[in-house]
Amino acid sequence: MPFTAPKRSKAFMSTPFFRVENISKSFPGVKALAGVSFDVAAGEVHALVGENGAGKSTLMKIMSGVYQPDEGQLLWEGQPIMLRTPHEAQARGIRIIYQEFNLLPDLTVAENILLNREPRNRWGLIDWRAMNQQAAAILALLKTNISPTLPASELTVAQQQLVEIAKSLAEDARLIIMDEPTAALNALEVEHLFGVIERLKTAGAGIIFISHRLEEVLHISDRVTVLKDGCLVGTHPTSALTKPQIVTLMVGRDLKDIFPAKHYPTHKTPLLEVRQLQSGVLHDISFQILPGEIVGFAGLEGQGQRELARSLFGLEPVRSGTIAVNGTAVRIQSPRQAIRAGIALVSDDRKRDGLALKLSVRENIALPNLPMLTRGGFVGARAERSAAQRMIDALNIRTPSAEQSVRLLSGGNQQKAVLGKWMVQPPSLMVIQEPTRGVDIGAKMEIYHLVYQMARDGMGILIVSSELLELIGLCHRILVMHRGTIAAEFPGDEATEESIMQVATGTDVPLASGETKTI
Amino acid sequence: MAGMTTARAGLNRLNSPVFRLIPRVFFALILMIVVLGVLSPRSVEPSNLLSLIRQGATIGLVAIGQTVVLMSGGLDLSVGSVVILADVLGAQLINGRDENVVPVVLLVLAIGVVIGLVNGLLITRFKVTPFIATLGTNLIVFGAALIYSGGAPRGSIPDSFRFWGNGFVAGVIPTAALVWIGVTLVIALLLARTAYGRQLTAVGSNRRAAFLSGVNDNRVTLLAYVFSALMASAGGLLLVSFIGVGTLEVGTDFLLSSIAAAVIGGTSFEGGRGTIWGTFGGTLFLMVLYSILTVLALPTSGRRIAEGLIILIALALYSRQQE
Amino acid sequence: MTAQSTLSATTTTAAPTRPRLRAFVKRNRNTLLIWIVLIIITIIAALISESFTNPRNFPNIMRQSAALMLVGIGQTIIMLAGGIDLSAGSTVSLTVVVMAALMKPTPESMIASVLAGLGVGLIVGFINGTVVNRFKLAPFMVTLATLSLVQGLALQFRQNPQATIPREFSPFFIDELFGVPIPFLIIIGSTVIAWLGLRYTRLGRHIYAVGSNEAATRLSGMSTNRIKLLAFMLSGLLASMGGVFLAARSRAGDPFIGESFAFDAITVTILGGTSLTGGSGSVWGTLAGVWILTILSNVLNLTGVPANWQFVLKGVLLVAAVMVYGRRRAS
């Protein structure tokens, strides 16, 4: 049975059973955590908040046995312990729901949920019937009717998320770490999830809840711990906090200091004009971007923002509709055509899409510019070196030399190297997905200023981000996507997290307040 | 294990800038030559070393092609059969006549290009994994060589053609050695300096990132396979010119040796890393190793065992050094 | 409202038979496809060659396919785990050579030699798995190296003059039992056991899991190294079992006897629809692959086509199979 966590009285604020003390962790080029302490008690939801790069995911991975801390110790019911592998963490009842999905595509939903704890009959063979029944029982708790016998490869993003959650419920979980569990869920699914969390609490499990959505944090958590730049800002009872207070703690300074003052574009001839675009999940997409304008796209995961960015770069087949750059209609069926049309893409996964990690900073920066740097088939070594150096200087990429392998740079500097690839020959339109994912706060501010500088130089910028504060702080306009189309548009100055989320979740029920509005 | 640690420390010490430009395999090569010299002083006389280079030329050419494919993140299992086909075709079509040499050489090279195109198109256009695509063409080409020769290769080679595999330039330097070194020089230069060379390592290191940077990754891949098959058929021609008759016996050896030479020379099986000079050194290393084994009177079995062990050791050393 | 429609789109509780049959067909498409191909090839073979339908040809085909099937099961297991075993052919050879060197015509000696032969495969598999795990190397490269290494050992251990397997050893493997050819029983028995093992044991499911997504499997708290090691050892063990059968069939301690087996086993596994990247496939598909290959070569023999065409045919089949399966996967 799923909720067989040790029965305890619902003792809120009982003594923490798991504590990490003075944890520090470094990676090449970056200090991810410095002297952080954190604990969780039975029957408690402890929220962990912080911006991208604050150290949340590192802390989480230390608590689940993926990383070892450089300094500090882990205490389990007062005893120092080591968690050397995910397996050791699991043995203590620590479950983690990763943000990036970890399902096994070729296995069924039931197998995924009960992986490594498959029910067996008395001959030690797997009892498929029992397995499917148990999985169905767990899924029923989440009020979803995903079939346990479906291969995981056939699930939608939201269903994958639910199966991930179901995995963590399958066994005596004492501690469940949820990393952005609601990122792909709609309002109703979020409600179901919260129902499950309440029941887990009652059963005595401790829950660490990580979310960008502060309304949810305020709604579900008992305590909030704020991290910033790898350091602990503080732990507070949720009841003592308001949303603006959390934001101030997270950011540590006024928003105005982080984001440059907005300069509205003066040109009124659109640089990019998209009309009636249809492709894959996208339909009826029409919008414009002016030269010098920064336009943000918000929405839940899986609502089409990704596909939109991809189709502008020739990665999604476009069914119908037109894309015009600087007044001329362009056909974009491959990245090469997109680049020729003056469009560049900075993807949300720089290690997969952006950089050839074995190669040097110089070689990476030169890569999209080889046609320009080549004379008669031969690469001009001097031109290449100077282009690379120019980018290293202009974008302040901190690297010992242009010959350094990009693998050894910090996340922020890698991200700047990706921008540098495109800035050798500046494009008309820069499409950026998650501009600051996995980047520390210093680099984050630099990147914001760079983006802002590019816009001032007349480039159009399209940003897709899951960080609403980032969109609100940076963009001139914010378009919200829901179910493959643009559901609303907000001027950057008027957008609030609430107003965006309301459209994004496709509901008129604001989560935090619970009051109902009808349109 | 202890030996490996010492060897690794040795490798690290050679990390200074002066040495970094020289593929590490050359230090191991010098060591091997010393070992050979101790075991059999005659083997390291200049003329004998030169003939070692001559014997390495065929494998060396094939290994250059294999290296380029490995750098692109792929694999070419068909090289052995292509060598055999080129060898059999060469002997049978030239058939001892001088006037046949030029057209047959061109024809055989053209057939190599076609096989490479088939490999490349299967992989890029039809999305067949390199392993399966080249395994399939390997079988087909081998079958073709068997069918064509009827299992018993005929034909012979005129002296004018034997010059390439067996002759000397200026009376001392084996022609085959010159060919090999020349090809190595040219290809190394081209890969280091052309846009294609840069795109090749980028595709091998991260195909997606290269594609998203506007690189025509399919064309880069296709060219790599065409080049590999071309090198394999050139290797086959050099082989027939060296031994004078067609043979069906060399296939697996060439496949294994070409991969071994590349890996020993520092080319990464995962793509994106490799040097043509490293492969040159790797091939010579293998040749010296074979000589040592011959001196020790451990011909076939010892050669197989040693080759397997050397590949494992090279893989382990380079994988350590990566971290 | 919104949630309802997103979720209900994909699944409703299955109504009986019909959709279940459809789901079965959908999930076993590759296997069914290759069995249909096998049936068609068998019919064509029967039509073009009278000798093919001769009752004495059936045990013959079974004798020709049993060793390949055993090695093929091993290859299927390691490929399901996302690996590959190029050393399987050399392992077959070394097993045969070792058995030929040891075996005397006494029951004790026969059993001891078989055990020694099986030990060969376990050891080679152990080495493959350990090196792959420890140095995080590509299975292709590691087993390519051990291919050479083990082949060398087979040459080293071969007796001069070539030792042979005692005549008394063969009947256990190639005779009939209750009128059924033993090779056929070996083939069906090993396939059923492998299928049950892969489907109904944790190790079996975890082999699929590792091949499906190794990183995710590790994060789920499993020792992927242990699973991969066991998969390599199973592959080695089955290669040796193929070697034992071959020893009984050929009775010659030929050090090159297994040379073609690794690539043939890969060919039949791919033909059978197992994915080269791991995670999906079935031993039943491999069985169809084995029989297709054996029947083709049998018919080519019977109809007097030069044996060399087999290579061409194998190559074409291999590439064609991958293209067909690849298409289906993409769509």
Side-chain angles (χ1 to χ4, degrees):
Chain A
M1 270 289 94
F3 298 138
T4 43
K7 284 282 173 217
R8 290 173 185 225
S9 57
K10 191 195 170 190
F12 176 55
M13 287 284 128
S14 65
T15 26
F17 65 92
F18 187 36
R19 177 195 290 280
V20 300
E21 277 180 358
N22 293 314
I23 295 287
S24 295
K25 178 76 183 172
S26 296
F27 295 107
V30 61
K31 181 128 194 168
L33 286 176
V36 171
S37 298
F38 181 83
D39 60 45
V40 61
E44 173 194 40
V45 177
H46 193 158
L48 186 58
V49 299
E51 292 188 292
N52 278 343
K56 290 171 296 183
S57 59
T58 308
L59 181 57
M60 192 176 79
K61 284 184 170 152
I62 285 173
M63 290 190 289
S64 57
V66 178
Y67 292 157
Q68 306 304 308
D70 297 339
E71 286 164 43
Q73 61 175 348
L74 283 70
L75 296 168
W76 186 264
E77 286 171 342
Q79 301 300 312
I81 56 161
M82 300 268 278
L83 297 175
R84 280 172 297 242
T85 61
H87 182 73
E88 291 187 5
Q90 288 213 342
R92 293 189 182 269
I94 299 174
R95 293 276 164 279
I96 180 160
I97 302 169
Y98 287 102
Q99 195 178 352
E100 64 271 28
F101 300 120
N102 276 295
L103 296 183
L104 304 166
D106 300 302
L107 273 53
T108 68
V109 167
E111 285 185 88
N112 270 288
I113 292 175
L114 295 162
L115 192 63
N116 210 15
R117 27 183 194 269
E118 298 87 350
R120 289 183 287 190
N121 63 21
R122 76 189 112 123
W123 294 294
L125 298 179
I126 289 174
D127 186 341
W128 282 85
R129 182 182 294 256
M131 179 146 83
N132 289 334
Q133 280 167 358
Q134 287 183 22
I138 295 165
L139 288 166
L141 293 170
L142 293 165
K143 302 225 166 54
T144 164
N145 58 352
I146 300 169
S147 160
T149 58
L150 208 64
S153 56
E154 291 175 20
L155 300 176
T156 66
V157 177
Q159 288 175 326
Q160 288 178 37
Q161 181 81 72
L162 290 169
V163 172
E164 280 288 345
I165 294 166
K167 267 173 78 171
S168 68
L169 306 182
E171 210 191 3
D172 310 357
R174 295 212 42 201
L175 172 63
I176 302 177
I177 305 170
M178 299 185 174
D179 186 10
E180 301 280 350
T182 56
L185 303 187
N186 65 30
L188 191 62
E189 290 162 333
V190 170
E191 259 178 52
H192 290 156
L193 174 64
F194 283 0
V196 172
I197 290 178
E198 289 295 341
R199 263 174 291 167
L200 286 166
K201 277 176 69 170
T202 321
I207 289 160
I208 298 174
F209 185 85
I210 300 171
S211 179
H212 273 128
R213 300 192 196 161
L214 298 181
E215 295 81 6
E216 292 176 359
V217 167
L218 288 167
H219 180 77
I220 193 76
S221 72
D222 301 307
R223 284 192 295 164
V224 178
T225 288
V226 184
L227 291 183
K228 181 167 76 71
D229 307 346
C231 296
L232 180 71
V233 177
T235 300
H236 307 273
T238 309
S239 52
L241 287 173
T242 63
K243 205 178 116 191
Q245 283 174 316
I246 300 182
V247 172
T248 314
L249 290 174
M250 272 168 60
V251 179
R253 53 208 112 183
D254 223 359
L255 278 179
K256 287 194 196 74
D257 297 339
I258 291 193
F259 295 104
K262 288 179 192 172
H263 251 264
Y264 278 82
T266 47
H267 284 272
K268 291 299 168 207
T269 332
L271 175 132
L272 174 79
E273 187 157 20
V274 175
R275 275 203 196 154
Q276 293 295 319
L277 191 73
Q278 317 264 356
S279 97
V281 298
L282 300 177
H283 56 94
D284 294 334
I285 302 280
S286 300
F287 66 94
Q288 299 181 339
I289 296 182
L290 302 175
E293 190 179 28
I294 306 174
V295 175
F297 277 81
L300 298 188
E301 244 167 71
Q303 300 298 312
Q305 311 90 290
R306 233 188 120 68
E307 287 75 11
L308 176 60
R310 288 168 55 86
S311 49
L312 287 177
F313 203 62
L315 297 170
E316 298 271 330
V318 172
R319 265 203 315 278
S320 66
T322 57
I323 300 171
V325 179
N326 289 322
T328 14
V330 287
R331 256 166 78 86
I332 301 177
Q333 287 170 324
S334 71
R336 249 165 297 141
Q337 288 175 336
I339 293 166
R340 224 171 291 143
I343 300 175
L345 174 77
V346 176
S347 127
D348 51 357
D349 190 342
R350 59 180 161 269
K351 286 187 178 152
R352 196 188 62 187
D353 301 335
L355 297 169
L357 288 174
K358 283 181 192 163
L359 304 186
S360 66
V361 177
R362 167 179 59 82
E363 287 167 303
N364 271 285
I365 289 178
L367 189 57
N369 306 298
L370 283 175
M372 182 197 82
L373 298 169
T374 304
R375 293 275 175 280
F378 285 86
V379 180
R382 192 176 303 167
E384 184 191 6
R385 269 199 307 273
S386 85
Q389 198 53 51
R390 198 154 52 82
M391 286 304 120
I392 290 173
D393 297 339
L395 308 186
N396 193 20
I397 302 171
R398 274 178 289 276
T399 170
S401 86
E403 300 308 316
Q404 178 86 340
S405 159
V406 282
R407 190 165 43 101
L408 300 173
L409 301 188
S410 71
N413 286 305
Q414 285 182 346
Q415 186 73 339
K416 285 189 272 178
V418 177
L419 285 168
K421 281 171 61 172
W422 298 116
M423 291 307 289
V424 173
Q425 299 163 276
S428 314
L429 174 74
M430 181 86 87
V431 179
I432 312 179
Q433 298 174 299
E434 304 293 345
T436 58
R437 180 169 284 177
V439 157
D440 64 68
I441 184 77
K444 202 164 171 174
M445 288 172 64
E446 286 182 68
I447 288 167
Y448 291 148
H449 279 87
L450 281 173
V451 168
Y452 184 71
Q453 190 54 48
M454 293 182 220
R456 283 203 74 172
D457 293 343
M459 198 182 291
I461 315 267
L462 189 160
I463 293 180
V464 175
S465 175
S466 54
E467 280 213 57
L468 294 182
L469 285 177
E470 177 170 283
L471 289 176
I472 294 168
L474 200 58
C475 297
H476 298 129
R477 271 189 300 141
I478 296 168
L479 308 183
V480 186
M481 300 214 36
H482 180 60
R483 292 201 185 183
T485 195
I486 297 172
E489 174 174 338
F490 297 98
D493 293 341
E494 293 168 24
T496 62
E497 286 175 89
E498 288 80 2
S499 57
I500 293 174
M501 281 312 290
Q502 209 166 310
V503 181
T505 53
T507 173
D508 42 2
V509 188
L511 255 176
S513 59
E515 59 185 270
T516 315
K517 275 185 243 161
T518 19
I519 298 174
Chain B
M1 260 325 117
M4 197 175 294
T5 329
T6 339
R8 192 177 144 215
L11 280 177
N12 288 346
R13 218 167 294 134
L14 297 172
N15 226 341
S16 66
V18 190
F19 286 113
R20 207 178 287 160
L21 289 173
I22 307 171
R24 291 169 190 209
V25 62
F26 283 101
F27 301 105
L29 177 63
I30 291 168
L31 197 75
M32 291 293 279
I33 293 176
V34 170
V35 171
L36 179 62
V38 170
L39 290 172
S40 150
R42 273 200 52 220
S43 305
V44 292
E45 282 168 15
S47 63
N48 282 327
L49 284 181
L50 279 173
S51 93
L52 214 62
I53 300 181
R54 176 221 300 284
Q55 288 161 33
T58 349
I59 292 177
L61 288 185
V62 181
I64 290 173
Q66 187 71 265
T67 304
V68 169
V69 170
L70 286 171
M71 280 165 84
S72 81
L75 173 71
D76 190 350
L77 298 179
S78 68
V79 289
S81 295
V82 176
V83 168
I84 293 177
L85 183 69
D87 178 288
V88 167
L89 278 179
Q92 253 174 268
L93 290 176
I94 292 175
N95 206 12
R97 299 164 76 111
D98 276 334
E99 65 271 26
N100 287 351
V101 168
V102 173
V104 169
V105 165
L106 290 179
L107 176 75
V108 168
L109 293 179
I111 289 174
V113 168
V114 170
I115 296 169
L117 271 175
V118 171
N119 280 335
L121 286 174
L122 283 174
I123 290 159
T124 57
R125 182 86 19 131
F126 297 98
K127 307 291 170 210
V128 178
T129 50
F131 178 85
I132 299 294
T134 58
L135 181 61
T137 47
N138 183 55
L139 288 166
I140 295 168
V141 172
F142 184 61
L146 282 175
I147 292 164
Y148 179 75
S149 65
R154 296 173 303 273
S156 63
I157 295 299
D159 286 345
S160 66
F161 189 56
R162 293 216 71 178
F163 164 76
W164 290 98
N166 252 345
F168 293 89
V169 173
V172 277
I173 304 162
T175 324
L178 276 185
V179 170
W180 180 22
I181 294 170
V183 171
T184 303
L185 262 172
V186 170
I187 301 302
L189 178 77
L190 287 179
L191 287 188
R193 298 293 307 278
T194 60
Y196 177 78
R198 310 295 298 283
Q199 291 170 340
L200 181 74
T201 44
V203 166
S205 168
N206 186 342
R207 173 176 299 272
R208 233 184 118 77
F211 171 66
L212 293 174
S213 298
V215 172
N216 190 339
D217 60 326
N218 282 342
R219 199 183 60 193
V220 170
T221 306
L222 187 74
L223 260 173
Y225 285 94
V226 168
F227 177 70
S228 171
L230 182 68
M231 282 291 106
S233 45
L237 287 171
L238 206 57
L239 183 71
V240 76
S241 144
F242 177 60
I243 56 181
V245 289
T247 170
L248 291 163
E249 297 294 316
V250 289
T252 345
D253 287 355
F254 267 86
L255 171 62
L256 207 65
S257 307
S258 70
I259 295 179
V263 167
I264 294 167
T267 298
S268 154
F269 183 65
E270 279 81 34
R273 183 162 54 83
T275 64
I276 300 299
W277 283 112
T279 299
F280 182 78
T283 313
L284 284 178
F285 181 94
L286 281 180
M287 299 321 293
V288 177
L289 176 73
Y290 297 157
S291 299
I292 291 177
L293 295 170
T294 313
V295 168
L296 293 175
L298 280 174
T300 337
S301 60
R303 175 170 160 168
R304 297 288 197 129
I305 295 171
E307 203 163 43
L309 281 176
I310 291 290
I311 297 179
L312 282 181
I313 291 169
L315 286 171
L317 283 177
Y318 285 115
S319 86
R320 283 290 166 95
Q321 182 198 325
Q322 272 277 292
E323 284 159 15
Chain C
M1 277 324 263
T2 50
Q4 225 57 345
S5 42
T6 10
L7 290 181
S8 61
T10 13
T11 48
T12 38
T13 14
T17 14
R18 255 298 172 87
R20 201 174 288 174
L21 182 69
R22 200 176 303 152
F24 176 82
V25 170
K26 195 173 163 198
R27 249 155 252 171
N28 297 287
R29 197 189 269 151
N30 285 358
T31 311
L32 292 171
L33 207 70
I34 199 68
W35 274 91
I36 292 170
V37 172
L38 171 63
I39 291 167
I40 294 172
I41 285 180
T42 312
I43 293 171
I44 295 174
L47 291 177
I48 61 173
S49 161
E50 278 181 20
S51 336
F52 182 77
T53 44
N54 185 321
R56 295 185 55 180
N57 197 26
F58 176 70
N60 187 25
I61 290 178
M62 293 307 128
R63 265 202 303 280
Q64 283 169 8
S65 51
L68 181 57
M69 185 57 199
L70 289 166
V71 186
I73 291 174
Q75 198 65 250
T76 307
I77 290 172
I78 191 64
M79 278 169 67
L80 284 174
I84 196 158
D85 187 356
L86 301 180
S87 67
S90 303
T91 307
V92 170
S93 301
L94 183 58
T95 304
V96 172
V97 168
V98 165
M99 286 176 65
L102 294 180
M103 200 183 287
K104 309 260 177 321
T106 65
E108 300 80 39
S109 168
M110 285 183 196
I111 291 172
S113 314
V114 168
L115 290 179
L118 297 181
V120 165
L122 285 175
I123 292 168
V124 174
F126 179 80
I127 293 171
N128 284 334
T130 308
V131 174
V132 165
N133 286 336
R134 173 152 184 139
F135 297 102
K136 297 185 176 60
L137 292 171
F140 176 89
M141 289 308 291
V142 172
T143 57
L144 184 72
T146 48
L147 175 159
S148 182
L149 193 95
V150 175
Q151 180 66 65
L153 290 174
L155 285 165
Q156 190 68 37
F157 286 141
R158 98 178 119 176
Q159 306 289 303
N160 232 339
Q162 192 170 298
T164 53
I165 303 283
R167 189 177 298 280
E168 292 81 355
F169 184 63
S170 298
F172 303 113
F173 295 90
I174 56 176
D175 273 6
E176 294 189 347
L177 192 69
F178 310 121
V180 186
I182 292 175
F184 179 71
L185 295 177
I186 291 175
I187 291 173
I188 297 298
S190 58
T191 309
V192 169
I193 291 170
W195 173 70
L196 288 175
L198 283 170
R199 184 162 171 80
Y200 288 98
T201 66
R202 282 198 180 175
L203 176 62
R205 297 323 293 168
H206 295 173
I207 282 173
Y208 278 91
V210 166
S212 193
N213 184 342
E214 187 177 342
T217 306
R218 192 179 310 114
L219 288 176
S220 299
M222 283 184 281
S223 165
T224 51
N225 279 357
R226 188 182 137 267
I227 301 168
K228 287 196 292 182
L229 176 65
L230 288 172
F232 271 111
M233 289 177 72
L234 280 173
S235 169
L237 179 68
L238 278 147
S240 278
M241 287 166 70
V244 170
F245 182 86
L246 214 55
R249 186 162 99 86
S250 74
R251 301 204 293 107
D254 174 4
F256 287 110
I257 197 167
E259 209 180 13
S260 64
F261 270 77
F263 286 103
D264 278 355
I266 291 168
T267 304
V268 296
T269 305
I270 296 282
L271 272 182
T274 297
S275 146
L276 192 61
T277 50
S280 80
S282 136
V283 283
W284 292 109
T286 305
L287 177 56
V290 168
W291 278 341
I292 287 176
L293 228 56
T294 315
I295 289 176
L296 282 176
S297 102
N298 182 265
V299 169
L300 289 182
N301 260 336
L302 294 174
T303 51
V305 176
N308 296 333
W309 281 97
Q310 284 180 33
F311 291 101
V312 179
L313 211 60
K314 250 190 251 177
V316 172
L317 268 179
L318 183 65
V319 174
V322 171
M323 281 164 73
V324 170
Y325 294 142
R327 279 287 150 82
R328 298 199 163 261
R329 215 156 221 232
S331 63

